[in-house]
Amino acid sequence: MGNCKNFSHVPFFFLLCLLGTFFFLPTEAAVKKYQFDIQVRNVSRLCHAKPIVTVNGMFPGPTVYVREGDRVLINVTNYAQYNMSIHWHGLKQHRNGWADGPAYITQCPIKTGNSYVYDFNVTGQRGTLWWHAHISWLRATVYGAIVVMPKQGTPFPFPQPDREVNILLGEWWNNDVEEVVKQGNKLGLPPNMSDAHTINGKPGPLFPCSEKHTFAMEVEQGKTYLLRIINAALNDEFFFAIAGHNMTVVEIDAVYAKPFTTQAILIAPGQTTNVLVQATQVPSRYFMAARPFMDAPLSIDNKTAAAILQYKGIPNTVLPILPQLPAPNDTAFALSYNGKIRSLNSPRFPANVPLKVDRHLFYTIGLGMNPCPTCLNGTRLTASLNNITFVMPQTGLLQAHYFSIKGVFTTDFPDRPPTSFNYTGAPLTANLGTALGTRLSRIAFNSTVELVLQDTNLLTVESHPFHLHGYNFFVVGTGVGNFDPSKDPAKFNLVDPPERNTVGVPTGGWTAIRFRADNPGVWFMHCHLELHTSWGLKTAFVVENGKGADQSILPPPRDLPPC
């Protein structure tokens, strides 16, 4: 499934594909090639047509199919008027930050009319990941699934499904997203929220003009289906459920989990969840539905996206049944659901949790306000970690680190906040100014890190999904209120904690993660709510090279986009 045909107009690549077909035995790593053309296309949703940025004219974009151990070459050619970069979310990119994709962190963007080949190996990972634009808010429409199949002859550690289906949850704006963001920034306020949610790019029949924009999957009585669910939305966590059907969670963020059955799942932006669904109900039509979870006093686009699970032979005239979704502010369900997720931790798929910690980090997450004479209220809403609002550089941080370019960033990001206070007490509305800077944290190679992310009630508490590039991490603890360093670590799960690449920090609470810094490079860490990221809720780790020959950053590719 390597999409050789995408290159068939190029004789050289065609020849390579043919050679690959004859000479790659199933046991050997294959080379998978894809061509991604960034193109603007007119798309119609909710009775509105508008131009959107797409890959190969598709919305959502094409699925990348690879096998564990494969080498992947994805040639991205930019035909749009916007700068572009693409992140392969959850792929560890060992020593190869050049292929990671966040603009101005590991590369400068691909300018209009230019190309860049993302060249990477998929090592020691299998499952559902995804790709998306990593510049401005362009991932509103530029995203797609990555399906990493296990090595040949390696079965899933759960019942083999009869079929697999990708379910990508997203958002839709009737207006040009880039213009919406510009308007918000000009006013110093949050931009207008989305007009709809989508399942596989389609809002479903609960929205105007959307009967024809409804995703449907046909199932056969008695068969088992693997749904690969991805939250590609910019700013919303979702509950997702299927009327009349339970789901068995078997994988999160491309890591196998101890199976458990649930009526609904909670999935934050950036996260993936694989579930098994058995088609054992009365043959009919059933709605699959997604709507946001928000337990903070903030307004959101609270509408429900719907798709249809349809038993074979049932006519389209049968009205589908809607599932019971948890209430939009059901904190108890959210905490209970996340508490059920555990790593499989089997002999074949162990959970190698760091038991000894070399470096303890404590980061507060806060909203803030800085002066802005041209903004509506004379202030601009902002966000910070340890009271530092991250300023994006104009040179890629990885280039600056690799080539020792001075003046791009400093490595003095503080290990803890400048002042401690009652983080989740009554709302704080005074002293909301933040410090600005491109400040990173330097981490010794192969050292073990424990990072506690603490939400604060600066303006308001809120749930924040944090994504760390270049790594998976273990979620060893989480709680509501303030983290207590004298009591909470005793309750950490160091046996089978969930292993993820994106974790939700609960509203007015904390999350503790651990990882081993064995991947040298510059690795972005940010809130996956695009609103907060654009307000500065981000930082990066500079992980030093090790002493061994294979413990250093690889040299940059020749076609790395210039700044």
Side-chain angles (χ1 to χ4, degrees):
M1 301 169 106
N3 263 24
C4 286
K5 63 181 186 296
N6 289 350
F7 278 104
S8 57
H9 60 287
V10 186
F12 173 66
F13 278 117
F14 188 56
L15 187 65
L16 277 185
C17 284
L18 280 179
L19 286 171
T21 311
F22 289 112
F23 292 115
F24 280 119
L25 299 169
T27 51
E28 285 186 28
V31 178
K32 299 284 170 68
K33 297 195 173 91
Y34 285 85
Q35 175 66 37
F36 273 25
D37 288 335
I38 309 298
Q39 303 164 325
V40 174
R41 284 278 186 273
N42 272 327
V43 168
S44 165
R45 296 286 186 274
L46 312 186
C47 326
H48 291 260
K50 69 163 188 177
I52 64 167
V53 185
T54 68
V55 170
N56 301 349
M58 296 164 69
F59 169 63
T63 300
V64 173
Y65 288 98
V66 298
R67 201 173 277 290
E68 182 184 344
D70 284 352
R71 181 181 174 193
V72 187
L73 301 172
I74 302 178
N75 184 39
V76 177
T77 304
N78 186 7
Y79 295 104
Q81 71 270 39
Y82 304 102
N83 285 344
M84 180 54 67
S85 77
I86 291 188
H87 170 51
W88 317 95
H89 185 112
L91 282 168
K92 293 179 189 171
Q93 306 293 8
H94 191 62
R95 304 169 55 210
N96 185 25
W98 313 110
D100 191 41
Y104 301 109
I105 306 296
T106 57
Q107 68 168 93
C108 285
I110 307 163
K111 297 187 172 70
T112 307
N114 291 20
S115 295
Y116 176 47
V117 177
Y118 290 93
D119 180 352
F120 54 87
N121 297 315
V122 180
T123 311
Q125 292 183 272
R126 81 293 308 156
T128 306
L129 295 169
W130 66 298
W131 58 264
H132 59 82
H134 211 305
I135 182 166
S136 184
W137 284 40
L138 291 172
R139 74 176 172 92
T141 56
V142 180
Y143 62 83
I146 301 174
V147 173
V148 184
M149 276 108 42
K151 287 183 174 170
Q152 288 278 15
T154 306
F156 294 131
F158 48 81
Q160 182 72 26
D162 295 292
R163 200 171 133 231
E164 302 178 11
V165 179
N166 297 338
I167 301 284
L168 289 94
L169 310 177
E171 283 172 287
W172 174 265
W173 278 260
N174 284 331
N175 295 320
D176 178 344
V177 181
E178 294 299 291
E179 288 305 316
V180 170
V181 176
K182 258 186 221 158
Q183 187 61 26
N185 287 344
K186 209 160 120 189
L187 299 172
L189 296 170
N192 291 344
M193 62 183 118
S194 55
D195 296 290
H197 294 119
T198 57
I199 297 177
N200 290 344
K202 296 171 177 178
L206 308 181
F207 287 92
C209 303
S210 297
E211 278 289 341
K212 65 179 184 292
H213 296 304
T214 302
F215 173 73
M217 63 175 276
E218 189 180 78
V219 298
E220 288 184 52
Q221 180 72 25
K223 292 199 168 170
T224 300
Y225 297 83
L226 179 69
L227 302 189
R228 298 176 177 271
I229 306 166
I230 296 164
N231 185 349
L234 276 83
N235 294 309
D236 286 327
E237 286 190 69
F238 287 119
F239 291 123
F240 175 87
I242 306 170
H245 294 71
N246 285 334
M247 295 174 283
T248 301
V249 175
V250 291
E251 179 196 302
I252 47 153
D253 291 5
V255 178
Y256 296 133
K258 286 192 169 72
F260 68 95
T261 300
T262 181
Q263 286 184 311
I265 69 163
L266 175 64
I267 184 165
Q271 292 183 334
T272 70
T273 304
N274 281 10
V275 300
L276 290 175
V277 177
Q278 291 183 311
T280 52
Q281 299 306 305
V282 175
S284 185
R285 299 172 85 219
Y286 297 87
F287 271 131
M288 303 186 266
R291 80 157 172 229
F293 163 60
M294 170 56 79
D295 59 352
L298 297 167
S299 59
I300 49 164
D301 165 13
N302 200 14
K303 303 181 202 75
T304 303
I308 296 171
L309 182 136
Q310 181 159 347
Y311 279 72
K312 194 172 182 176
I314 300 296
N316 288 352
T317 48
V318 175
L319 285 176
I321 307 153
L322 263 173
Q324 285 294 108
L325 285 162
N329 61 351
D330 194 339
T331 308
F333 178 92
L335 293 172
S336 149
Y337 172 82
N338 282 327
K340 290 175 188 163
I341 301 173
R342 296 265 189 274
S343 283
L344 188 58
N345 192 24
S346 66
R348 191 176 173 89
F349 303 105
N352 297 317
V353 190
L355 301 180
K356 179 178 88 45
V357 175
D358 300 318
R359 182 90 173 269
H360 288 269
L361 306 175
F362 183 79
Y363 290 0
T364 52
I365 303 163
L367 298 178
M369 267 184 196
N370 285 333
C372 171
T374 58
C375 294
L376 190 62
N377 304 321
T379 55
R380 173 188 298 290
L381 281 167
T382 187
S384 66
L385 284 169
N386 282 355
N387 210 45
I388 296 165
T389 296
F390 189 85
V391 176
M392 288 299 269
Q394 294 305 299
T395 301
L397 296 176
L398 182 59
Q399 287 92 312
H401 170 57
Y402 187 84
F403 293 109
S404 303
I405 303 167
K406 300 280 179 279
V408 178
F409 66 87
T410 58
T411 52
D412 58 351
F413 190 90
D415 284 6
R416 43 200 51 78
T419 45
S420 52
F421 55 97
N422 180 2
Y423 305 114
T424 54
L428 298 161
T429 52
N431 305 325
L432 291 173
T434 66
L436 307 180
T438 311
R439 297 167 68 179
L440 280 52
S441 190
R442 189 178 283 282
I443 308 281
F445 179 78
N446 214 31
S447 61
T448 51
V449 178
E450 179 181 288
L451 167 60
V452 176
L453 291 159
Q454 172 73 60
D455 188 30
T456 66
N457 206 351
L458 292 161
L459 287 178
T460 177
V461 287
E462 194 176 342
S463 171
H464 298 273
F466 263 82
H467 173 46
L468 175 60
H469 290 227
Y471 289 93
N472 281 355
F473 48 74
F474 291 97
V475 186
V476 294
T478 188
V480 175
N482 297 340
F483 176 71
D484 183 339
S486 60
K487 291 186 183 155
D488 287 325
K491 297 183 279 216
F492 283 177
N493 174 4
L494 303 177
V495 177
D496 59 355
E499 183 183 340
R500 319 203 64 132
N501 62 56
T502 306
V503 67
V505 178
T507 302
W510 57 271
T511 290
I513 66 171
R514 287 187 182 181
F515 64 96
R516 178 176 292 281
D518 55 2
N519 190 6
V522 177
W523 301 108
F524 205 26
M525 189 187 76
H526 60 99
C527 179
H528 223 277
L529 302 178
E530 205 57 48
L531 178 62
H532 293 168
T533 293
S534 56
W535 283 354
L537 193 49
K538 51 197 172 189
T539 184
F541 293 112
V542 178
V543 178
E544 294 172 340
N545 286 338
K547 293 194 165 55
D550 57 352
Q551 295 175 346
S552 295
I553 302 169
L554 294 166
R558 285 189 182 157
D559 63 340
L560 189 72
C563 292

